[in-house]
Amino acid sequence: MKPYREMSREELLSLKADLDKQFEDAKGKGLKLDMSRGKPTPAQLDMAMGLMDTLNSDSEMNTENGMDTRNYGLMDGIPEAKRLMADMMGGVPAENVIVYGNASLSIMYDTVSRSVTHGVLGSTPWCKLDQVKFLCPAPGYDRHFAITKLFGIEMITIPMTPEGPDMDLVEKYVFEDPAVKGIWCVPKYSNPQGISYSDETVRRFAALKPAAEDFRIYWDNAYVVHHLYDDKQDEILEILSECEKAGNPDMVYEFASTSKVSFSGAGISAFAASKANVEEAKRFMTIQTIGHDKVNQLRHVRYFRNLDGIKAHMRKHADIIRPKFEAVLAVLDKELGGLGIGEWTRPRGGYFISFDAMEGCAKAIVAKCKEAGVVLTGAGATFPYGIDPKDSNIRIAPTYPTADEMAEASDLFVLCVKLVSVEKLLEA
Amino acid sequence: MKPYREMSREELLSLKADLDKQFEDAKGKGLKLDMSRGKPTPAQLDMAMGLMDTLNSDSEMNTENGMDTRNYGLMDGIPEAKRLMADMMGGVPAENVIVYGNASLSIMYDTVSRSVTHGVLGSTPWCKLDQVKFLCPAPGYDRHFAITKLFGIEMITIPMTPEGPDMDLVEKYVFEDPAVKGIWCVPKYSNPQGISYSDETVRRFAALKPAAEDFRIYWDNAYVVHHLYDDKQDEILEILSECEKAGNPDMVYEFASTSKVSFSGAGISAFAASKANVEEAKRFMTIQTIGHDKVNQLRHVRYFRNLDGIKAHMRKHADIIRPKFEAVLAVLDKELGGLGIGEWTRPRGGYFISFDAMEGCAKAIVAKCKEAGVVLTGAGATFPYGIDPKDSNIRIAPTYPTADEMAEASDLFVLCVKLVSVEKLLEA
């Protein structure tokens, strides 16, 4: 089939008639599928059920340094869990890590909230400033943007490139504007594009010369061990040591969790940063909490043992979700290849495929899919304020449904892409 | 022995010589005891080890409404855990409860923090106000005071009476001063005095007519099921329904946890409030977190089953810690009874005994004890800003050491009380 843009009006009209009919047929099928949720499928969770056996009523409940995980104390996490999370985060020193509860999102929220009320290492609290801005590489993670929006922080969209955020723009903003206090990054297998930052990008991040002393990189390493393939794996530079080498040790906060390793509802999470940043976080923790669930930390360490254990576990995850990604990609390639009405990513890891429709088509495609029973992430969700300036990006989450369901949902998706694209071209 | 105040200078000098000698002997023993920590003893934690057996790799992991506890979702807690915590909090409706992670302190911090940055049900954020004040019944819980201090909230000490806080004063402040936004309460077996609020006190709380629309009672029901005796138990009125009856449904936030029921390091906690307050908290939670550890919630429900299960468990705790309280009280009664140099509480529950020395003696007593190897909570810790205006109150935490250790530590404590009191009287 030839590219849609090269078709005559008659060809488009005839195509539309055909697609309309196909769509009516599809609607008749009464599909009920969901490609919106970046969540593990039960088979992945089943694989971690051994976690439930690692501790029982006869278990030794002390940490390696003899502290009772069941009691108060060790507010910043048990040493062996610090080490496990440190290794998972690409080999940061364990003393630079604090282990938290089950949600790394809470750490991020809390870090922003603390900066708003109390500043950063002695800087003016953001609530006392007229203007605070965050850079938001987009498409990105909607929950990051929701946090900054909640605190009234102005969000500036930074386009993504295949190497990561547009660093020329990042450097310009960070260097010139003292109101720019942070940037949201998912550096590895980014949400939703699956892009991993190149070494040059990471080094340029580490070498930033911020106008604001309290500028921080929010490095959400959510998919750090979430490869889809054994033989094709992305690795990124370790940001803490890069920042230190570049003379900016305090410029980065790193976040990670086992939400998509063990259980999304009952994992452990971690924060890594320079000594000064970690000490500041701990100073607040002494007032904020009596510490996080140390028994669950122990459970995770006893189960995974070390980074190799996590890697082996994640290979089993990959075996489950890779076919789902491939099912989607096969349909996209076969049905949309060469038509010039969409582009999509082929991630080597993470939880999403990112699809860029023709400009002005994303909302309509999502609505069409919904009409026929397939739920997609809301168009625009991947941009600050929920507004995609090109109305083009759609996030596809293949992990939760089965591969067959994903293929079926993808069939409908490509049909909707074609139909909306034809309509758009006919309007022009 | 006669009251110290009735002794002549010569008698006091002779007594001091004798006590000095006893103290030197005591120092020589090389004691290393700690009466400062309100934490469960390992035997209490051992009793909950069955928790570790309630879930294993064959367990059904769904909630009663069919949700997978291992995955994302049910941000506000699993229904059966809401019910359990609702029952524990004296029978509040389960729909008024949100179940959180292991630390109720985090909920309190978070609630204050949110009020500072975003206000309360639409009121002006506290960070935009010139002055925010909290009433602090004292002696009270140092970690409450630490939270309000951190946010620059002015703390006003409210004296405690045997019925609870001095309600005349509470009513006056709350009615007259719109800057008064909250009050910290531990209504049952208060920390450190073990006082339970009388029905009249609770009703007067519920009937408050605050000058500030965003005034809230922070009702930390930390010791709600923590009785020491089977036959002598305090019960307090349920505050949510009292507030509702009085036409103030939104005026209270209640907090509780299983930190001193199951594991201090791995329990579950809860927040209870009116529908409007709960909805506001949930609205922020959608941005703040992906929810709390639901597997641990399930574990707790499967283990305790219901309030009766919790009560039976707490009777076993009481059997362990009651002898420790009694060991302390026996020494206090025997050694200090009738001397007029101290008063102490005889709590029916909770975690502490509160001791009031002669004015100006608490710091010196704590220092003396430390000199001979017995650690007490720092004098002043039970008051806002760490300053006890009378330098009189000392918190004794009998739960962690053994009963023998408590008796030994108490022997030293009463010796130090005597010595410091004599010195004080000699100064006069």
Side-chain angles (χ1 to χ4, degrees):
Chain A
M1 207 153 197
K2 67 178 171 187
Y4 279 22
R5 282 175 198 280
E6 294 174 14
M7 288 186 181
S8 66
R9 188 164 178 84
E10 289 65 39
E11 284 174 309
L12 286 171
L13 282 169
S14 142
L15 178 59
K16 176 166 161 36
D18 181 43
L19 293 168
D20 275 335
K21 195 183 160 308
Q22 287 182 43
F23 183 72
E24 287 310 309
D25 291 349
K27 268 212 295 194
K29 283 191 201 165
L31 293 181
K32 261 191 115 166
L33 297 167
D34 194 330
M35 305 208 284
S36 77
R37 295 175 298 178
K39 61 192 255 189
T41 198
Q44 287 171 271
L45 303 169
D46 290 345
M47 289 198 158
M49 281 303 283
L51 255 180
M52 299 293 96
D53 295 331
T54 47
L55 295 178
N56 59 49
S57 56
D58 295 324
S59 294
E60 166 64 46
M61 300 297 283
N62 283 1
T63 62
E64 61 186 22
N65 61 347
M67 295 284 287
D68 190 336
T69 54
R70 305 169 305 176
N71 219 324
Y72 294 115
L74 280 180
M75 186 189 63
D76 55 339
I78 68 173
E80 47 268 67
K82 282 190 191 183
R83 213 162 49 231
L84 181 70
M85 297 305 281
D87 289 347
M88 196 179 98
M89 286 188 277
V92 305
E95 65 263 30
N96 292 77
V97 171
I98 301 175
V99 186
Y100 284 74
N102 66 309
S104 61
L105 194 71
S106 304
I107 321 176
M108 295 178 228
Y109 176 97
D110 192 53
T111 309
V112 171
S113 181
R114 198 177 69 220
S115 306
V116 169
T117 54
H118 289 86
V120 177
L121 288 182
S123 76
T124 307
W126 296 353
C127 67
K128 304 284 182 205
L129 300 175
D130 289 335
Q131 219 180 11
V132 175
K133 302 174 188 171
F134 256 58
L135 306 183
C136 300
Y141 180 33
D142 56 348
R143 282 174 171 272
H144 287 161
F145 306 152
I147 291 173
T148 25
K149 180 164 175 243
L150 181 73
F151 286 99
I153 294 169
E154 185 186 330
M155 295 184 278
I156 298 166
T157 299
I158 301 291
M160 286 290 288
T161 78
E163 307 249 307
D166 178 338
M167 290 309 292
D168 291 343
L169 214 49
V170 170
E171 284 166 351
K172 186 173 136 52
Y173 276 114
V174 171
F175 183 73
E176 288 178 4
D177 190 349
V180 170
K181 302 296 189 190
I183 181 168
W184 289 118
C185 294
V186 182
K188 194 166 173 181
Y189 301 134
S190 70
N191 175 354
Q193 294 170 299
I195 289 171
S196 297
Y197 294 8
S198 69
D199 290 358
E200 196 201 331
T201 295
V202 177
R203 289 203 181 99
R204 286 175 74 177
F205 264 111
L208 284 172
K209 296 290 168 225
E213 58 170 0
D214 51 353
F215 170 82
R216 292 291 181 274
I217 302 164
Y218 283 65
W219 198 255
D220 182 3
N221 217 340
Y223 306 104
V224 57
V225 288
H226 302 62
H227 307 286
L228 282 173
Y229 300 93
D230 258 5
D231 52 341
K232 296 180 290 181
Q233 298 192 343
D234 294 350
E235 290 304 341
I236 59 168
L237 289 178
E238 196 285 289
I239 187 73
L240 262 67
S241 52
E242 291 300 321
C243 282
E244 202 175 333
K245 272 190 263 174
N248 288 319
D250 299 333
M251 199 172 57
V252 65
Y253 298 139
E254 182 169 1
F255 310 91
S257 82
T258 69
S259 289
K260 293 182 182 91
V261 176
S262 57
F263 293 153
S264 311
I268 61 176
S269 65
F271 169 80
S274 70
K275 188 162 181 269
N277 287 328
V278 162
E279 278 174 3
E280 180 176 49
K282 282 195 211 172
R283 195 163 57 80
F284 280 82
M285 284 179 85
T286 58
I287 293 167
Q288 188 169 11
T289 180
I290 48 92
H292 299 283
D293 186 332
K294 294 188 295 292
V295 170
N296 204 33
Q297 292 175 21
L298 187 67
R299 190 177 283 121
H300 276 72
V301 176
R302 295 265 169 91
Y303 183 64
F304 291 114
R305 301 179 61 179
N306 51 37
L307 182 57
D308 285 340
I310 290 181
K311 284 182 176 169
H313 189 81
M314 293 309 284
R315 272 195 290 274
K316 294 190 267 177
H317 275 215
D319 290 341
I320 295 173
I321 64 178
R322 188 175 52 244
K324 304 179 183 192
F325 276 76
E326 289 175 346
V328 178
L329 290 169
V331 174
L332 294 175
D333 290 347
K334 175 164 174 286
E335 295 294 326
L336 299 182
L339 298 187
I341 56 172
E343 292 179 346
W344 52 96
T345 55
R346 314 186 77 82
R348 296 172 163 194
Y351 263 59
F352 304 102
I353 292 167
S354 178
F355 183 87
D356 284 318
M358 284 169 52
E359 270 198 48
C361 289
K363 270 186 202 302
I365 292 167
V366 171
K368 266 284 184 236
C369 282
K370 192 175 178 193
E371 198 186 330
V374 170
V375 178
L376 289 163
T377 306
T382 53
F383 283 79
Y385 307 105
I387 299 164
D388 174 0
K390 295 187 177 168
D391 183 26
S392 166
N393 188 251
I394 295 170
R395 186 182 83 163
I396 298 173
T399 56
Y400 193 78
T402 66
D404 285 350
E405 287 170 339
M406 275 317 295
E408 208 173 1
S410 301
D411 284 339
L412 182 81
F413 176 72
V414 295
L415 175 59
C416 295
V417 171
K418 289 176 185 173
L419 192 49
V420 170
S421 303
V422 167
E423 286 170 353
K424 189 80 190 169
L425 289 168
L426 281 167
E427 273 174 29
Chain B
M1 205 158 198
K2 69 178 170 187
Y4 280 22
R5 281 176 201 278
E6 294 173 16
M7 289 186 182
S8 66
R9 188 165 179 84
E10 289 64 40
E11 283 174 311
L12 287 171
L13 282 169
S14 144
L15 178 59
K16 176 166 158 39
D18 180 43
L19 293 168
D20 275 335
K21 195 182 160 307
Q22 287 181 42
F23 184 73
E24 287 310 310
D25 290 349
K27 268 212 296 194
K29 283 192 200 162
L31 293 181
K32 262 190 114 168
L33 296 168
D34 194 330
M35 304 208 286
S36 76
R37 294 174 299 176
K39 61 192 256 189
T41 199
Q44 286 171 271
L45 304 169
D46 288 345
M47 289 200 159
M49 281 303 282
L51 255 182
M52 299 292 96
D53 294 331
T54 48
L55 296 178
N56 60 48
S57 56
D58 294 324
S59 294
E60 166 64 45
M61 299 296 283
N62 283 2
T63 62
E64 61 186 21
N65 61 347
M67 295 285 286
D68 190 336
T69 54
R70 305 169 304 176
N71 218 325
Y72 294 114
L74 281 180
M75 187 189 63
D76 55 339
I78 68 173
E80 46 269 67
K82 281 189 190 182
R83 213 162 48 231
L84 181 69
M85 296 305 282
D87 289 346
M88 195 178 98
M89 285 187 279
V92 305
E95 65 263 29
N96 291 76
V97 171
I98 301 176
V99 186
Y100 285 74
N102 66 311
S104 61
L105 193 72
S106 304
I107 320 176
M108 297 179 227
Y109 177 97
D110 192 52
T111 309
V112 171
S113 179
R114 197 177 68 221
S115 307
V116 169
T117 55
H118 289 86
V120 177
L121 287 181
S123 76
T124 306
W126 298 352
C127 67
K128 305 284 183 207
L129 300 175
D130 288 335
Q131 219 178 13
V132 175
K133 301 174 188 171
F134 257 58
L135 305 183
C136 300
Y141 180 32
D142 56 349
R143 283 174 170 272
H144 287 161
F145 307 151
I147 291 174
T148 25
K149 180 164 177 247
L150 182 72
F151 285 99
I153 293 169
E154 186 185 330
M155 294 184 278
I156 298 167
T157 299
I158 302 291
M160 284 292 286
T161 79
E163 307 249 308
D166 178 338
M167 290 309 292
D168 291 343
L169 213 50
V170 169
E171 284 166 350
K172 185 172 138 50
Y173 276 114
V174 172
F175 184 72
E176 289 178 4
D177 190 349
V180 170
K181 302 297 189 188
I183 181 168
W184 289 118
C185 294
V186 182
K188 194 166 174 181
Y189 301 134
S190 69
N191 175 353
Q193 295 170 298
I195 289 171
S196 298
Y197 294 8
S198 69
D199 290 357
E200 196 201 331
T201 296
V202 177
R203 289 203 182 99
R204 286 174 75 177
F205 264 112
L208 284 172
K209 296 291 166 225
E213 58 169 2
D214 51 352
F215 170 82
R216 293 290 182 275
I217 303 163
Y218 282 66
W219 198 253
D220 183 3
N221 217 340
Y223 306 104
V224 58
V225 289
H226 302 62
H227 307 286
L228 281 172
Y229 300 94
D230 257 6
D231 52 341
K232 295 179 290 180
Q233 297 193 344
D234 294 349
E235 290 304 342
I236 58 167
L237 289 178
E238 196 284 288
I239 186 72
L240 263 67
S241 53
E242 291 300 323
C243 281
E244 202 175 333
K245 273 190 260 174
N248 288 319
D250 299 333
M251 200 172 57
V252 65
Y253 298 140
E254 182 170 2
F255 310 91
S257 81
T258 70
S259 289
K260 292 184 183 89
V261 176
S262 57
F263 293 153
S264 312
I268 62 176
S269 65
F271 170 80
S274 70
K275 189 164 181 268
N277 287 329
V278 162
E279 277 173 5
E280 180 177 49
K282 283 194 208 171
R283 194 163 58 80
F284 280 81
M285 284 180 85
T286 59
I287 292 167
Q288 189 170 10
T289 180
I290 47 91
H292 299 283
D293 186 332
K294 295 188 294 294
V295 170
N296 203 34
Q297 292 175 21
L298 188 66
R299 189 177 284 122
H300 276 72
V301 176
R302 296 263 170 93
Y303 183 63
F304 290 114
R305 301 179 61 180
N306 52 38
L307 182 58
D308 284 340
I310 290 180
K311 283 181 177 170
H313 190 81
M314 294 309 285
R315 273 195 290 275
K316 294 191 266 175
H317 276 215
D319 289 340
I320 294 173
I321 64 179
R322 189 177 49 246
K324 303 179 182 191
F325 276 77
E326 289 175 346
V328 177
L329 290 169
V331 174
L332 294 176
D333 290 346
K334 175 163 176 286
E335 295 294 326
L336 300 183
L339 298 188
I341 55 172
E343 291 179 347
W344 51 96
T345 56
R346 314 185 77 82
R348 296 171 163 197
Y351 263 58
F352 304 102
I353 292 166
S354 178
F355 183 87
D356 284 318
M358 283 169 54
E359 271 198 50
C361 290
K363 269 186 204 303
I365 293 168
V366 171
K368 265 288 185 232
C369 282
K370 192 174 176 193
E371 199 187 328
V374 170
V375 178
L376 288 163
T377 306
T382 54
F383 282 78
Y385 307 107
I387 299 166
D388 174 358
K390 295 187 178 168
D391 185 26
S392 165
N393 188 251
I394 296 171
R395 187 181 83 164
I396 298 174
T399 56
Y400 193 78
T402 65
D404 286 350
E405 286 169 341
M406 274 318 295
E408 206 173 1
S410 300
D411 284 339
L412 183 80
F413 175 71
V414 294
L415 174 60
C416 294
V417 171
K418 290 176 185 173
L419 191 49
V420 170
S421 302
V422 168
E423 285 169 353
K424 188 82 190 168
L425 289 167
L426 282 168
E427 272 173 31

